[in-house]
Structures are given as structure tokens and as C-alpha cells.
Amino acid sequence: MVLLVGLNTNRPAGQQSDLSRIKTWWRTLGGDCFAVLPPPTRGRYTQSDGHEDAAEMFATRGIATDTSFAYWHWQSHDAFARSGELTGALYLHWGGDHATVAAGLGDGPPGYRIVDNGPRGAFQLDRVTAVDADGLPDPEDDAGVRQFLARVDEPRHRTARSTEYDPLTAAEERWLHDRLSGPVDLDAAVRFAAPLEHRQALTPDETARLLPAWREAYAGRLTAWRGWRSVLPALLRQEHPEVWEVAAELGAEAAYALTAQPSPRSLELLRAWALTGDGAVRGWFRAHHALREPDPVRAAAALSEELTAHAAPEAAQTGLLRALREAVTDEPDTRRSPADAFSPLLLATIRFATDDRLPRPLRVAAAKAAADTAERVREAAGRLTDAAEAADALAAVERYETARDDLLAGTGPDLTGYEGGLGDIYHRYRTLSPADVRWLRDRLADPSTGVQGIAFCLELLHAHGEAAEADLVALLPRWKKELTKQYRTTYTEWRHPLVTLTCLAQDLGHPAGEAMLAWWAKPKPLWKEPVRLLTHLGAPTEEKAAELWEFVVSGGHDTGHLMTWVLLRARLDGTHPLHVAEKLIDEPGIRAYVLHRVLIGVADPAQPLWHYAIDPRSHSWWHRAQEVADDERLSAEARAIGLKAAREHYVTRYPDQVRPALTEGEVKTAHAWLEARADRTAAD
């Protein structure tokens, strides 16, 4: 029996594509209190772009600013193939009132369905498909197969150490095995092997057929085939004679599989990868802990000393700390209920910072990781019903706070990690201590510091007026070969490092400034054109201000141009940039949503915020919004912009999304601050 729940995915010749049908439906949407943005171009790449496009459309068409809206962006658009076929769920993002958007979208166009993921998520639009009595799709129905695989490959439970999946029915397992039974098709096998091996169900016959095809087709580049992440665990589990040769060729990317099945041979490989800085430290610890040293602290101490002896990068100690924390918080006697599940992890981190059994590099890593957690642990301790346990936790916090300054002296963040992590801690550098300045300068002088690290450190030094000729000289040998490469700064609080370096060279009157300006003036590479004018902030002149202003009012895409003009104008006029920005309110040719971002971003000219949108998850943007709202020197209109940004910040709306995480006290203080200004909110 076949249960018909929709249309077949295959499209007869001449029939409209999925994209065409969805666009036709999309054009019918909209009405009172709800609007949809036109389908995206590459200029709308993210959700922030979508919200900016909505603000611009509302202003252009005279739509009320409190109208709810829906859109999809270019990343979502990847759900469509070049032919217009829908090859994955189309994520529809939104703004405003969730219920209004849900009603406005309805059930979707005929033959499709919309899944509502709630007020915190995006809507998903996908094809409706047919399944049989066992819930299985026709193997020829691409959309049905895709949806089935997505369902069976969705974990039911995930932790830092393991992932669990629901068991397959006999019919589902048989269906998957059938897909692997014909001639080997590596591209197809990727999809069907994964859900089987997630249940350790790939058979020796299947791996024996996939292995030679994989090694032949991807010789010298084994990781290029995504299916290896399913085949390697199966080979290890089946003790295949070629598995160690394959693992060695795969390198440190295979660490997760070797960690899951520890053995003396896997421990040997994991150690070699970890000591050469290949990122296998967590796997090495887990294998060592499982095979050699049952005490997790002693295991971590031994590995930390080895890392130090081999001059491993600082990030290795951080990875080791993460593995140690996971080990101790996974033990039954340290588990807590989901309501306060964060407490054991944070408390363990604080304890490790002052644990004399651990080498100093590992204690320093713990102190850095605990930098924003002491108050959260103190709050958690106050909720404990066991007085002795609460006192013990508070004593651990006291020991940490006593040792913290010594441990953190002369240290800084990992400059090689996710750039969003650096943005999360930007507020810590609103003022620079002498130790901070030394650390930042040392990083600039270190040849191993990458482009992201240079951008972060140089921006902080330059904005605070601490950048010196020695910093410029240290970077001169690298600027032509390394700093002329494209580096996207759309979501950062710092500029491209060559923009900042060029500004510094001009401010210092250094001869290198002329060479850099000559490079910026050349037509290629093309990436530099959108940010070239940002170099005008160095050694500002009226001519530079005029050129920047011409671009600002031209309607060109703003990637920091208005902020640069405001800061430049403030330097020329000897005034605070807030006063420059507030004069532009309602100025013709100035887009309001860009000006609002700039007004908040320049609240502290010693550390302007260069992110191209107000980041609602950021401590820095929250504090600046508050300051603008309360600045008695500003006009009522300017202060209202600050208050609106504060009201829309996640500190009070979605505090769990703010990074670093907030204490309950900080959230209560934020609510109280807004409530004290409720009369101004009502007036707005």
C-alpha cells in the first residue's frame, strides 16, 4: 500500500521548476501588518542583510516600521539547484511578530508544506512527498529520499562525547542496505552509509566493496570523499587489515574515529598528531585516559607536560582542558539536573585554575576559560540546598579570584579560533592595561600570528592610540605578501588589517604610507574596492572627507564608510563623533538603519564597533546602546535611537543567546534599566 501525501518530485518536461512555483506563490503574499521581501540576490547573504533590506524597503515604500516580514537570503537559496529544483528545505527567515508571520505564510503553495520551528527558529518550506506503509520513499523520488535520510540521521541525543540515534526499523535498515547492494556509486553511498554506521550496521561486505573504490577514486586525497567518516569507523570496528594504513593517510581528521575505539595503535597515532599541532589533543586525552591513566587529572597533567616539552601551540592546552572538563563532568557523581547542568562544567573549570596537581599552562588555560563564569558559579552555589556543597563551591570561586590576575598576566585570547569568539570578548578590551598593550604588541611582532590575529591586535592598539612605529615596522615585511589578501570583516569589530595599517602609516607620516596608498589606488585585486575609502581615516583632510561623503550619499553598499566619515569628521572638528552622527538624523541621502548602527558604534571613539549591524548578542553593543540612551548631551532623537537598540537587544529578550553568558543579576539589572525608562519607551 502507498500512502499519497503529496506530489512526486520528478518534474515532466515543460513543467515549472520548484523555484518558479515558489516565486509565483511568494508574490501573492503580504497584507495588513505583514510583508515579504523580494527573492534574494547575492547582496542579501545573511539574516542581518535581510533585516537591513526590510528596513530599506519599508522606508522606500512607506511601510510602517512595526510590520512583520519574511524573506530568504542567498545562503538559504542554495536549497535550489541551477535548474530551479528544490534540493533541500528552503529556510524562510522573518522579523516582527511570529504569529503574524506564521499566519501570513500559511500552509505554503500547493504541493509543498511549511514547518514552523517556533519563535526562535526559521520556517522551512519543502516538497510534500509519498511514502509506503513502512514510511519509506520510492528510491526514485529524490525529495522523498532526502527527507527520509534527514529523519533517520537526526540524533535523538547529543553530548560532547557521544551521539545517539533512534534504532532503525527492519524495513528501514533493509531499504538502506538495498541502496548499497548494486554497483558501487561513491557519491550515492555517502548518503546511505552514514545512517547505517551511526548504528554500527555497515557490513564487512559493504566496507570491502567501498574501500577499494574509495582508495582508487580519491588516491592521495582520501578526505575529499565525505563517506570516509562512515567507512573508517566500520573498518576499525571490523578490524580490517588495511585500516591503520588508511588512518595514517587520513591524518588528524580521523582522530574522532580512533578516539571512539581506543587501542594501543590508535593511541600512538593520536599522540603523534597532537604533538605536531594537528588538533588531535582531545582524542589523545580520551584514549590515554581510557587505556593508561584512569584518573583524569593525572592523565591531563601528564599530557600537558608533554605538550609543553614539545612546544605545542597554546591552543593545544585549551583543547586538553576541554577534554578534561568533559571527562570529570561526565562522571555519575558530578551530574546535575538539566536545570543547572552548566554548574558542574563551570565549577570544574574554576577548580582546575587553582589545582596544584596540574601544570601551570593548563591552569592558565582554565583561568582564561573561567574569566566570565565566577559570578555564574556564585549564583549557582546560592541555589544549592546542601550548605556544605554551597560553601565548597564559594570557596573555589574565592581561590580562583585570588589567583586569577597572576595566572592571566601577559595572556590573551586564542587568535586562531573562530572570529566570533574574539568578538564575544571585545568588551574586555575597552580599556587596555599595560600588560594588554605588551601582549598585543608581542603578537604583532610574532611572525606566526595570522591575518585574523593581526587585524584584531592592530585594531585595538590603533583605536586606543597605542599603536607605534615599532608595530608598523614589525608588519612591513609582511604587508605585500600576506596583508594584501582578501579577509572578510563583515561580522567583526575590526577592519581589514591593511586598512588599519595604512591608517597608522599615514598618521605617523611614515614613508610606507605612500606605498600602501599606491597599492590601494590600483584596480586589482577587486576585493579591496569596497573598503578602499576606509583608509581615509588616516591623516584626515577635508578632501578625504568630501570624497567619503560623496560615496555615503551615493547609495553605495556601506561597509564602514559612514562610520569612517563620522570618525574622520570628528577628528577634523575636534568634537565627539556622537555629535557628528546625531546631526545626520533625518539628513537626506543617509539611510536610517546605517546611521543608527554608526551612532551606537561610535559611542566610545577609543574603541568603535565596526560590525556592519548592531549585534544583539554582544555585550559591547548593549553597553553602547545604554550609554547613548542616557547621554544628556545628545538630542532626544539620538537618545531614542539608543533606547530602541537597547530594547531590541537580546539581554532582555533572549538572554541565553548573549555571549559570554549573562548572570541572573545582569539580566535583572537590564530589565530594571529598561523599566526605569518605560515612560520614554511609551513616548516613542
Side-chain angles (χ1 to χ4, degrees):
M1 179 178 68
V2 174
L3 305 177
L4 292 177
V5 292
L7 302 175
N8 190 277
T9 304
N10 297 325
R11 174 163 53 93
Q15 184 177 320
Q16 275 189 313
S17 69
D18 291 312
L19 179 57
S20 296
R21 295 171 67 183
I22 290 170
K23 282 184 173 180
T24 298
W25 162 75
W26 192 254
R27 286 192 289 269
T28 68
L29 302 180
D32 291 341
C33 302
F34 177 64
V36 295
L37 274 62
T41 65
R42 287 179 174 82
R44 188 195 305 157
Y45 194 72
T46 66
Q47 293 183 56
S48 294
D49 293 333
H51 284 255
E52 290 196 5
D53 284 355
E56 189 167 5
M57 184 178 82
F58 290 177
T60 302
R61 300 183 185 179
I63 300 173
T65 57
D66 61 352
T67 300
S68 298
F69 59 94
Y71 64 95
W72 76 88
H73 53 52
W74 197 251
Q75 293 181 81
S76 302
H77 198 78
D78 284 344
F80 295 106
R82 292 177 65 88
S83 64
E85 178 187 352
L86 190 62
T87 60
L90 176 65
Y91 283 83
L92 303 175
H93 301 281
W94 57 279
D97 178 67
H98 174 261
T100 301
V101 176
L105 292 174
D107 296 327
Y112 301 82
R113 69 172 187 269
I114 285 182
V115 176
D116 182 350
N117 290 310
R120 299 285 186 90
F123 294 83
Q124 290 174 258
L125 186 151
D126 205 347
R127 292 190 64 89
V128 179
T129 57
V131 296
D132 65 17
D134 292 317
L136 298 170
D138 183 331
E140 300 301 317
D141 181 350
D142 292 340
V145 170
R146 168 175 54 78
Q147 292 170 5
F148 165 72
L149 292 175
R151 176 174 62 80
V152 299
D153 223 22
E154 179 66 25
R156 70 175 176 187
H157 182 64
R158 191 196 303 269
T159 69
R161 303 191 67 176
S162 64
T163 305
E164 298 176 8
Y165 296 84
D166 287 320
L168 298 169
T169 66
E172 289 170 342
E173 186 168 335
R174 184 169 55 252
W175 189 94
L176 289 166
H177 284 304
D178 287 346
R179 306 285 75 74
L180 296 175
S181 63
V184 175
D185 180 345
L186 290 176
D187 290 337
V190 170
R191 308 168 68 199
F192 306 118
L196 284 170
E197 188 52 30
H198 286 155
R199 285 87 173 174
Q200 297 190 344
L202 270 180
T203 67
D205 177 67
E206 287 164 344
T207 54
R209 295 169 63 246
L210 290 169
L211 177 59
W214 166 36
R215 298 191 75 180
E216 179 180 353
Y218 291 88
R221 53 188 189 98
L222 292 185
T223 58
W225 182 56
R226 292 184 296 113
W228 74 266
R229 296 186 177 275
S230 301
V231 172
L232 179 63
L235 294 172
L236 287 163
R237 179 169 51 81
Q238 297 160 7
E239 298 182 353
H240 193 284
E242 297 179 44
V243 66
W244 298 111
E245 181 182 345
V246 171
E249 188 173 345
L250 286 166
E253 287 191 61
Y256 83 98
L258 273 62
T259 303
Q261 301 184 52
S263 68
R265 192 73 177 269
S266 65
L267 179 60
E268 179 185 339
L269 271 178
L270 289 165
R271 177 182 181 276
W273 291 334
L275 292 179
T276 54
D278 279 340
V281 172
R282 292 169 76 185
W284 180 31
F285 169 83
R286 291 177 186 173
H288 183 85
H289 179 32
L291 298 172
R292 299 278 180 84
E293 176 51 75
D295 182 276
V297 173
R298 285 201 297 265
L303 269 55
S304 176
E305 289 173 352
E306 278 204 72
L307 290 171
T308 301
H310 286 79
E314 183 181 334
Q317 299 284 353
T318 304
L320 179 57
L321 170 69
R322 191 175 300 121
L324 173 59
R325 294 190 305 179
E326 291 165 0
V328 299
T329 55
D330 244 354
E331 293 172 358
D333 62 340
T334 59
R335 289 190 184 275
R336 294 290 189 275
S337 66
D340 64 344
F342 72 92
S343 302
L345 185 67
L346 300 187
L347 181 55
T349 307
I350 281 176
R351 289 190 192 282
F352 290 145
T354 58
D355 192 330
D356 290 336
R357 294 174 297 170
L358 297 175
R360 183 178 176 86
L362 200 52
R363 285 186 282 121
V364 168
K368 290 168 67 174
D372 291 291
T373 65
E375 283 304 315
R376 293 170 63 201
V377 172
R378 188 175 276 115
E379 285 183 346
R383 295 193 296 267
L384 294 174
T385 56
D386 186 316
E389 190 177 2
D392 184 57
L394 291 173
V397 173
E398 294 296 330
R399 289 194 301 272
Y400 166 73
E401 291 182 332
T402 299
R404 178 176 53 200
D405 290 347
D406 174 64
L407 289 169
L408 296 182
T411 69
D414 177 11
L415 298 174
T416 65
Y418 168 54
E419 65 183 19
L422 292 175
D424 289 344
I425 62 169
Y426 210 61
H427 61 283
R428 296 183 193 168
Y429 292 93
R430 190 159 178 184
T431 59
L432 298 182
S433 69
D436 289 331
V437 173
R438 286 193 300 272
W439 186 85
L440 292 166
R441 284 179 171 160
D442 287 345
R443 299 290 76 72
L444 290 181
D446 186 345
S448 68
T449 302
V451 172
Q452 176 174 284
I454 292 172
F456 178 83
C457 296
L458 186 60
E459 181 71 54
L460 286 172
L461 288 171
H462 185 254
H464 284 289
E466 296 287 352
E469 185 170 356
D471 304 311
L472 171 65
V473 171
L475 293 172
L476 285 182
R478 304 178 64 181
W479 83 267
K480 288 186 178 179
K481 288 187 177 180
E482 298 177 57
L483 301 188
T484 54
K485 308 299 182 185
Q486 184 172 12
Y487 167 66
R488 297 186 182 276
T489 56
T490 307
Y491 306 104
T492 65
E493 303 297 1
W494 48 90
R495 296 165 292 178
H496 189 288
L498 191 53
V499 170
T500 315
L501 191 66
T502 304
C503 290
L504 174 60
Q506 293 179 88
D507 286 340
L508 295 173
H510 195 280
E514 293 299 322
M516 293 177 189
L517 290 174
W519 180 85
W520 284 104
K522 295 177 182 178
K524 291 185 178 181
L526 297 177
W527 71 260
K528 66 183 177 181
E529 183 54 30
V531 297
R532 178 184 64 84
L533 292 178
L534 274 57
T535 63
H536 282 10
L537 189 55
T541 65
E542 291 292 345
E543 291 74 20
K544 290 179 178 180
E547 186 181 2
L548 253 176
W549 181 255
E550 183 178 357
F551 177 87
V552 166
V553 297
S554 72
H557 183 58
D558 189 292
T559 55
H561 297 87
L562 181 58
M563 175 170 278
T564 302
W565 184 86
V566 167
L567 293 170
L568 186 158
R569 189 73 259 166
R571 288 183 66 180
L572 288 174
D573 298 344
T575 188
H576 197 289
L578 275 174
H579 300 307
V580 177
E582 74 171 331
K583 292 178 182 177
L584 299 178
I585 297 173
D586 297 326
E587 175 76 16
I590 300 298
R591 287 165 287 193
Y593 66 91
V594 177
L595 177 60
H596 294 180
R597 174 185 77 219
V598 170
L599 185 72
I600 308 298
V602 300
D604 182 358
Q607 194 197 44
L609 304 178
W610 289 94
H611 194 294
Y612 86 139
I614 295 176
D615 184 352
R617 297 174 175 85
S618 158
H619 286 247
S620 291
W621 286 93
W622 164 249
H623 295 315
R624 304 301 203 286
Q626 287 182 296
E627 289 162 19
V628 170
D630 286 346
D631 193 331
E632 297 289 348
R633 300 169 299 173
L634 299 177
S635 65
E637 292 81 4
R639 296 174 67 200
I641 291 170
L643 185 56
K644 180 175 184 292
R647 288 202 312 265
E648 295 174 351
H649 197 280
Y650 286 1
V651 163
T652 54
R653 298 173 63 209
Y654 310 114
D656 58 313
Q657 295 190 33
V658 177
R659 293 293 180 268
L662 298 163
T663 65
E664 292 180 2
E666 287 173 323
V667 175
K668 290 178 181 177
T669 299
H671 278 287
W673 183 87
L674 285 174
E675 289 168 5
R677 290 151 185 80
D679 56 335
R680 287 171 53 191
T681 301
D684 292 344

